[in-house]
DNA sequence: CAAGGATAGTATCCTAGAGATACTAACTGG
DNA sequence: CCAGTTAGTATCTCTAGGATACTATCCTTG
């Protein structure tokens, strides 16, 4: 635990305070800045979490934020870890790996529903914050009894995580379209109609058949959840095949 | 094929020219703008594809671009479709669905390698451009003989596509870290060391065990390809389970 | 063959964000 | 009480996206 080797950004992520009692006492700290930014993103989307707006929310000038976060990109990393939060205690229990991994995926989906902007955030690398690590750890723990090697476990955890993120992104994409008078049904109908006009059955036989089918007309609000389950079970089936092989 | 109902942005995506011979003839067209933007993104990343820079590359003022693309966001959509290009002819052949879907995924991975910035582009909805539709169509065609219903086929195609994108994103994230003198091995070693210092085996037993293992030290340049195959086969196993059920 | 309408491209403005620099303010320990 | 240390401020620059009002160039029609 030699913390001297840890770079500054990681120290901030893990909230390792230098504990210096010198100089002017701070009104702000990393947590306050990040919380304010997360609150803004929750309310008005990721684009609203700008340095000027965060500063205004904290009643402070923009530049003072740089005392605590280093850069906008670093703020984004901090925001992700903070918004994720720790994995819920309900994942602690024991049980068959499939149930546990399913629960893990659903818990992550719940987080993404609470903070929709998390989905659009660029992934800059492997998890490195305390909460990111905690989720990662929980995912690995679900696979503990499977006999998979480390590489496979990592692959499985990232695959499931990717799936959850992709599904959330898709759900959000479908849910967008309201806002300027068009409700979701109208948006989808207009998409379907335009596609029907553009997709030539000669060039794109299968796609045209899809758009010709009733698939894009009967999508109610519950479909998202149903589709999510379907894909998740598919992924879990794939994991099961790997587990049986090991 | 009533093209009157198609909104302007879709008309531009599909290159449906209004064919008006009136007025001053254009030096530019949608294709030229998009190609220039793609070239910039290929060379210097997505952030380099700004309206001023595209305009400079075309020796034209920034504002003239708005005659052809409508907005920056629309340009991004156009760029995606253009960069994807049509799916390769090699996917046309027939064969068992698993081989075909695998080939489809690999072809898509190749596109993402050629245009790395595609990975980071926000997904704004279902595919709507000609190339996006063509890829989608090819994916559906690979599943034609599986007996899956439309909803399942769509889910499978999107799942595989998501997987490819996620894997590419991960590969890029790992490949970043060079640039300021640190080569990849050094970056990974430094990441591993910092994590080893921060991840408390008491709080995060499985993650700590992972970082303690040799997993993060033995990753050569070929590992990406290997991991990609592993995850892809996993996904295909899941699809196989769904196909057998149908 | 000249208007005049239609379209392409330009010049100039504004807003907003990220960040650099140089400053002032507040505290603490010698 | 003062010198060093740290927190927050004021002001400036650069870059980007976009709005508006203009000029340039061409085709068509009278």
């Amino acid at each position: 635990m030699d913390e001297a080797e840890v770079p500054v950004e990681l120290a901030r992520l893990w909230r390792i305070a230098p504990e210096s009692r010198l100089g002017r006492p701070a009104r702000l700290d990393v947590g306050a800045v990040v919380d304010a930014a997360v609150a803004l993103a929750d309310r008005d989307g990721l684009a609203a979490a700008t340095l000027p707006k965060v500063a205004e929310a904290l009643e402070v000038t923009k530049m003072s934020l740089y005392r605590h976060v280093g850069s906008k990109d670093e703020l984004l990393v901090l925001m992700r870890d903070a918004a994720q939060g720790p994995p819920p205690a309900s994942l602690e229990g024991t049980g068959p790996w499939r149930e546990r991994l399913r629960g893990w995926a659903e818990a992550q989906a719940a987080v993404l529903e609470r903070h929709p902007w998390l989905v659009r955030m660029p992934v800059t690398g492997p998890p490195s914050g305390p909460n990111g690590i905690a989720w990662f750890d929980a995912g690995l723990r679900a696979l503990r009894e499977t006999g998979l090697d480390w590489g496979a476990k990592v692959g499985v955890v990232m695959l499931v995580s990717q799936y959850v993120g992709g599904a959330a992104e898709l759900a959000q994409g479908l849910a967008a379209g309201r806002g300027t008078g068009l409700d979701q049904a109208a948006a989808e109908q207009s998409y379907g109609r335009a596609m029907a006009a553009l997709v030539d059955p000669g060039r794109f036989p299968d796609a045209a058949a899809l758009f010709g089918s009733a698939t894009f007309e009967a999508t109610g609000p519950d479909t998202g959840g149903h589709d999510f389950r379907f894909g998740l079970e598919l992924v879990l089936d794939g994991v099961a095949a790997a587990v049986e092989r090991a």
Side-chain angles (χ1 to χ4, degrees), chain A residues 185-202:
Chain A
E188 232 162 279
Q189 206 178 356
S190 120
Y191 172 76
R193 192 154 40 206
M195 284 302 110
L198 288 169
V199 176
D200 176 12

Side-chain angles (χ1 to χ4, degrees), chain A residues 90-163:
Chain A
S90 57
L91 298 182
E92 292 288 337
T94 174
W97 68 264
R98 186 163 180 142
E99 319 295 319
R100 301 186 66 178
L101 197 54
R102 184 187 294 122
W104 185 82
E106 283 167 354
Q108 238 184 4
V111 169
L112 294 186
E113 201 163 348
R114 210 154 40 230
H115 305 289
W117 49 271
L118 271 177
V119 172
R120 295 274 169 102
M121 274 216 351
V123 174
T124 51
S128 48
N131 290 325
I133 291 288
W135 278 95
F136 193 48
D137 183 71
L140 291 175
R141 185 148 49 229
L143 297 171
R144 196 185 269 172
E145 318 293 345
T146 55
L148 296 172
D149 61 36
W150 284 120
K153 282 185 189 170
V154 171
V156 166
V157 168
M158 309 216 61
L159 172 62
V160 173
S161 187
Q162 272 171 30
Y163 170 71

Side-chain angles (χ1 to χ4, degrees), chain A residues 36-50 53 56-57 116-117:
Chain A
V38 167
L40 281 169
D42 284 344
R43 195 144 41 85
D44 304 319
L46 191 55
T50 69
K53 283 178 192 149
E56 192 189 11
W117 49 271

Side-chain angles (χ1 to χ4, degrees), chain A residues 12 15 26-42 48-80 82-83 117:
Chain A
R12 280 194 281 256
R15 303 291 201 284
R27 300 173 46 188
L28 262 47
D29 60 351
V30 191
V33 174
V34 174
D35 289 350
V38 167
L40 281 169
D42 284 344
T50 69
L51 294 181
K53 283 178 192 149
V54 171
E56 192 189 11
L58 292 167
E59 295 184 307
V60 128
T61 56
K62 173 182 59 146
M63 289 315 290
S64 71
L65 301 180
Y66 283 108
R67 292 274 145 184
H68 303 278
V69 294
S71 75
K72 180 69 187 294
D73 286 339
E74 195 189 314
L75 178 59
L76 290 176
V77 172
L78 292 164
M79 285 172 68
R80 165 171 18 234
W117 49 271

